[in-house]
Amino acid sequence: MSPRRAAALGAGDRTLRDHLIATAERMIAERGTAGLTVRAIAREAGVADGVLYNHFADKEELLAHALRAHAESVARPLGPLPEPGGGTVEENLRVYVAHGLALHDGLLPALTGLVAQPAVLARFAALSGGGGIWNERLATYLRGERDLGRLAPDARVEAATSLIVGACHEPVLSLLFQGQGIAHRVSPDVVDDLVATVLNGLAPR
């Protein structure tokens, strides 16, 4: 191993490929993906530019793996999502909404920097099993509660899922367009109001 490569890897057992992914993931977390170049990643990793192409087909593949690592880092501290049948539906939906808001707050700033790079987003979706893992968990949870009789037998799970997902997108995107994040800006009342609306609907009874 060359001295430069040894210095780049530092202590530990991770490979140079892992080191490059970790470096790109850290850069995404700190500054987003807009303008992120191979040269900048290589310089931050302490390797020559061409080294990246020994481990990845192109920059898009590296960024897709770094985005996946970033998504896992964002989701890790959020804790497990409730399963059907435990607690109350209202309490569980609060957890799903709070989880979704935090997840979108951590991921959307990175993803919006890649709007002009659909190849990266497509590879990221493929690595993530098609994307929308939280969305799918939410829909599966609601279907499970419906099957258990804790929701109406004709509950429109897909529509409720879309409503919750859209509501989690909206505050993040609104503030992101103003150059801000949502951390600590969404009050518990917003979560409660969304859950109450989904469970109770809007029509008079």
Side-chain angles (χ1 to χ4, degrees), residues 57-118:
D58 46 36
K59 183 182 79 169
E60 288 73 18
E61 183 184 2
L62 170 57
L63 286 182
H65 281 280
L67 276 173
R68 182 186 182 188
H70 181 55
E72 292 171 350
S73 295
V74 170
R76 195 172 297 120
L78 300 181
L81 290 166
E83 297 292 337
T88 68
V89 175
E90 185 175 2
E91 291 167 348
N92 293 342
L93 280 181
R94 287 196 189 102
V95 174
Y96 272 92
V97 171
H99 188 110
L101 285 166
L103 197 63
H104 285 79
D105 184 40
L107 285 178
L108 282 181
L111 296 176
T112 52
L114 294 170
V115 170
Q117 300 185 57

Side-chain angles (χ1 to χ4, degrees), residues 94-157:
R94 287 196 189 102
V95 174
Y96 272 92
V97 171
H99 188 110
L101 285 166
L103 197 63
H104 285 79
D105 184 40
L107 285 178
L108 282 181
L111 296 176
T112 52
L114 294 170
V115 170
Q117 300 185 57
V120 177
L121 295 176
R123 295 191 192 189
F124 169 66
L127 289 173
S128 303
I133 293 175
W134 169 76
N135 306 19
E136 294 165 6
R137 286 286 306 277
L138 173 59
T140 298
Y141 165 77
L142 291 173
R143 281 193 292 268
E145 295 288 22
R146 183 178 60 189
D147 293 344
L148 290 171
R150 302 214 302 171
L151 292 175
D154 59 349
R156 298 180 179 179
V157 166

Side-chain angles (χ1 to χ4, degrees), residues 2-202:
S2 70
R4 186 174 187 183
R5 178 175 175 179
L9 287 173
D13 298 325
R14 69 180 179 182
T15 65
L16 183 54
R17 187 176 189 276
D18 293 337
H19 172 66
L20 292 169
I21 292 172
T23 299
E25 190 275 324
R26 186 178 69 252
M27 296 174 75
I28 288 172
E30 292 173 352
R31 65 191 82 166
T33 50
L36 193 58
T37 65
V38 167
R39 177 171 294 182
I41 296 170
R43 187 170 301 165
E44 186 76 14
V47 300
D49 296 1
V51 169
L52 275 70
Y53 298 104
N54 295 333
H55 301 275
F56 304 95
D58 46 36
K59 183 182 79 169
E60 288 73 18
E61 183 184 2
L62 170 57
L63 286 182
H65 281 280
L67 276 173
R68 182 186 182 188
H70 181 55
E72 292 171 350
S73 295
V74 170
R76 195 172 297 120
L78 300 181
L81 290 166
E83 297 292 337
T88 68
V89 175
E90 185 175 2
E91 291 167 348
N92 293 342
L93 280 181
R94 287 196 189 102
V95 174
Y96 272 92
V97 171
H99 188 110
L101 285 166
L103 197 63
H104 285 79
D105 184 40
L107 285 178
L108 282 181
L111 296 176
T112 52
L114 294 170
V115 170
Q117 300 185 57
V120 177
L121 295 176
R123 295 191 192 189
F124 169 66
L127 289 173
S128 303
I133 293 175
W134 169 76
N135 306 19
E136 294 165 6
R137 286 286 306 277
L138 173 59
T140 298
Y141 165 77
L142 291 173
R143 281 193 292 268
E145 295 288 22
R146 183 178 60 189
D147 293 344
L148 290 171
R150 302 214 302 171
L151 292 175
D154 59 349
R156 298 180 179 179
V157 166
E158 287 71 23
T161 300
S162 296
L163 175 64
I164 293 172
V165 171
C168 289
H169 273 85
E170 191 276 331
V172 180
L173 289 174
S174 295
L175 288 171
L176 186 60
F177 290 145
Q178 301 171 33
Q180 306 174 53
I182 70 161
H184 310 301
R185 289 186 174 88
V186 177
S187 73
D189 289 343
V190 172
V191 176
D192 291 345
D193 288 347
L194 174 59
V195 170
T197 300
V198 170
L199 289 179
N200 299 327
L202 298 175

